[in-house]
Amino acid sequence: MAKIHQTFVCQSCGAVYNRWRGRCEACNGWNTIVEETGATGPQAGPVKTRPSRARGRVFALEGLTGEVKEAPRIPSGINELDRVTGGGFVRGSVILLGGDPGIGKSTLLMQASAAMARTGERVVYISGEEAVAQVRLRAERLGLSSAEVELAAETNVEDIVETLSQGRPPALAIIDSIQTMWTETVESAPGTVTQVRGSAQTLIRFAKTSGTAVILVGHVTKDGQIAGPRVVEHMVDAVASFEGDQGHHFRILRAVKNRFGPTDEIGVFEMTDMGLAEVPNPSALFLAGRDHAAPGTAVFAGMEGTRPLLVEIQALVAPSSLGMPRRAVVGWDPNRLSMVLAVLEAHGGIRLGTHDVYLNVAGGLRISEPAADLAVAAALVSSLSGATLPPETVYFGEIGLSGAVRPVAQAPARLKEALKLGFAKAVMPQGRGEGGDGALTTEALRHIADMVAGIASNGPRRGASRRGHNPPDYGDDD
Ligand code: TYD
Ligand code: MG
């Protein structure tokens, strides 16, 4: 039996201490350590109830080529969701769905439940946060009240597992949310890491033995961690996060970990009055409302998994009144921005040391590809010089520290998407995919300096030269 006494557990990463401290040594979080009563040690979980035996029980070992009775995957009926899971929920698997409160997790899962229930599968939706009436109200609003989803408001996992074990095992069970669940085998209060871990363990065991696909909803803390469930992340088969900001209508479902599928696919949804609508052509959505005439905007031909995605990168470079100029980034890696700025200074002949730099990926999208370097550089140079970039041009390519423009993967797919959306030209690295398929002109770059010169030759806007700094040394075309 595990020893029961007071322990101090970090609510962010699950590290256990024997006395309180202000800062967790494991994850460096401040004020995350809370006193808990319960089993100690990193393996603390359900208390062992079986009497210990001197010898183990013999179990059957099986070959890899056993019979699989049912289809291993159950499509959800929502294409954008299936794209992220890799073609549907795997039977017996557990998915953790994280996201900010109010982003639409419950809405998405209610729609998925209803769609799956309509195919004749048994679907159970357990809400630990809302009363049955509230969940019904939402279903009604979504026009889904006729779907045969089984509904309950419950928080005790033993009761939930016992109930789900009655009758035909459900194809899908949704637990909304894991932070509200509690198990009798652990003494800590609900919501603590120990409880979350204990409850998740019980539910995961149920999924594996019954073949039910279980989705655990997890809340996200201010700093983007799935609170508490960070300790659950390694126990589950897949982790997906639902992102977007309240100011924008669209939402992105992203796989963070997936034992049964890709991790670089995204699903794009739009929040409407009637719930979440799938967005099959996200590029058109992200480019909507683009201001062609403004300097400082460049279209990046990106990839999200197997799907090309065009997005607008916006930059604003303005003289700074601060000793330490501001660099603010939304939707991209700030370290990468610093690197691109340094390369532009060192190899592009541009001085940005006395300028504030703001960078924004339009539409609230977050991109992580290094291939965005070139589009970012183009937007920055355009904003600084006041020269508008040609509106029908897309940019992609990675920039090395030497200023070299390096090839990136899947150039043909990027070009094809650009062509489909009416673009005429691509500025890209030399090498693979270059030449396109005829209809699109490509400008292959070897070095960042070539692009800087190219943008400058578009001619800066009249009166664009700014006070208080040396104008960048572009070729003078006035
Ligand atoms: P919800 O699914 O409850 O979020 P979560 O479970 O992630 O906390 O979504 C709540 C938000 O979604 C709320 O702000 C209202 C909005 N919403 C719509 O815009 N349209 C709809 O049809 C529904 C059901 C919700
Ligand atoms: Mg919810």
Side-chain angles (χ1 to χ4, degrees), residues 88-406:
F89 303 118
V90 174
R91 285 186 198 273
S93 71
V94 181
I95 299 174
L96 177 66
L97 176 68
D100 290 331
I103 205 74
K105 300 179 294 295
S106 304
T107 306
L108 176 69
L109 293 177
M110 178 46 73
Q111 288 180 246
S113 309
M116 199 181 263
R118 291 216 163 106
T119 66
E121 301 279 4
R122 184 179 175 211
V123 181
V124 182
Y125 191 110
I126 309 283
S127 176
E129 298 189 337
E130 293 162 299
V132 170
Q134 282 175 292
V135 181
R136 276 200 193 124
L137 212 63
R138 178 188 287 119
E140 204 168 299
R141 200 175 142 193
L142 297 168
L144 301 172
S145 33
S146 65
E148 286 182 33
V149 177
E150 294 168 53
L151 202 60
E154 255 314 317
T155 53
N156 179 293
V157 286
E158 277 78 25
D159 293 352
I160 291 171
V161 166
E162 204 51 42
T163 308
L164 295 183
S165 307
Q166 306 289 310
R168 178 164 71 115
L172 178 68
I174 287 160
I175 307 293
D176 189 1
S177 65
I178 186 67
Q179 276 105 339
T180 56
M181 296 294 140
W182 65 282
T183 166
E184 280 153 18
T185 55
V186 174
E187 284 181 32
S188 314
T192 56
V193 169
T194 318
Q195 271 293 356
V196 166
R197 184 162 42 197
S199 305
Q201 241 160 18
T202 308
L203 291 163
I204 290 168
R205 203 170 327 116
F206 166 74
K208 302 292 169 206
T209 52
S210 66
T212 299
V214 173
I215 302 184
L216 307 175
V217 173
H219 291 298
V220 161
T221 53
K222 296 186 290 300
D223 50 358
Q225 299 291 353
I226 302 180
R230 191 162 165 206
V231 293
V232 177
E233 279 182 18
H234 71 273
M235 297 158 63
V236 298
D237 298 302
V239 180
S241 74
F242 204 37
E243 306 166 356
D245 55 33
Q246 307 286 2
H248 289 106
H249 285 295
F250 39 86
R251 304 280 182 266
I252 306 232
L253 183 67
R254 197 184 286 275
V256 181
K257 158 184 171 178
N258 196 348
R259 282 186 187 150
F260 304 113
T263 50
D264 50 2
E265 293 287 354
I266 61 166
V268 185
F269 298 89
E270 191 175 2
M271 184 60 101
T272 69
D273 296 344
M274 287 291 292
L276 292 155
E278 296 182 57
V279 179
N281 185 359
S283 297
L285 182 76
F286 287 116
L287 292 181
R290 193 157 65 94
D291 186 1
H292 301 276
T297 66
V299 176
F300 165 50
M303 292 296 296
E304 288 289 348
T306 55
R307 177 162 57 180
L309 188 62
L310 303 191
V311 281
E312 188 190 45
I313 309 272
Q314 304 171 337
L316 178 63
V317 179
S320 179
S321 53
L322 304 169
M324 180 95 110
R326 268 187 76 93
R327 268 94 178 89
V329 192
V330 179
W332 205 48
D333 179 4
N335 293 327
R336 254 211 94 106
L337 173 66
S338 306
M339 195 205 82
V340 170
L341 290 174
V343 172
L344 280 174
E345 293 218 12
H347 303 289
I350 285 177
R351 266 176 293 274
L352 292 152
T354 55
H355 287 71
D356 290 333
V357 175
Y358 301 89
L359 191 82
N360 179 36
V361 178
L365 191 71
R366 188 166 55 85
I367 49 179
S368 51
E369 263 195 300
D373 292 353
L374 199 62
V376 169
L380 290 170
V381 176
S382 163
S383 176
L384 178 70
S385 66
T388 321
L389 297 173
E392 72 294 354
T393 304
V394 296
Y395 295 81
F396 63 91
E398 188 180 338
I399 298 174
L401 287 178
S402 64
V405 179
R406 305 163 48 117

Side-chain angles (χ1 to χ4, degrees), residues 386-450:
T388 321
L389 297 173
E392 72 294 354
T393 304
V394 296
Y395 295 81
F396 63 91
E398 188 180 338
I399 298 174
L401 287 178
S402 64
V405 179
R406 305 163 48 117
V408 295
Q410 291 166 296
R414 297 173 201 264
L415 294 173
K416 213 165 131 198
E417 178 79 355
L419 189 63
K420 197 169 98 194
L421 281 139
F423 287 86
K425 187 177 166 189
V427 177
M428 58 181 287
Q430 222 165 34
R432 280 177 288 162
E434 193 195 321
D437 40 12
L440 203 72
T441 331
T442 57
E443 182 184 328
L445 295 181
R446 213 192 277 271
H447 197 271
I448 187 70
D450 302 340

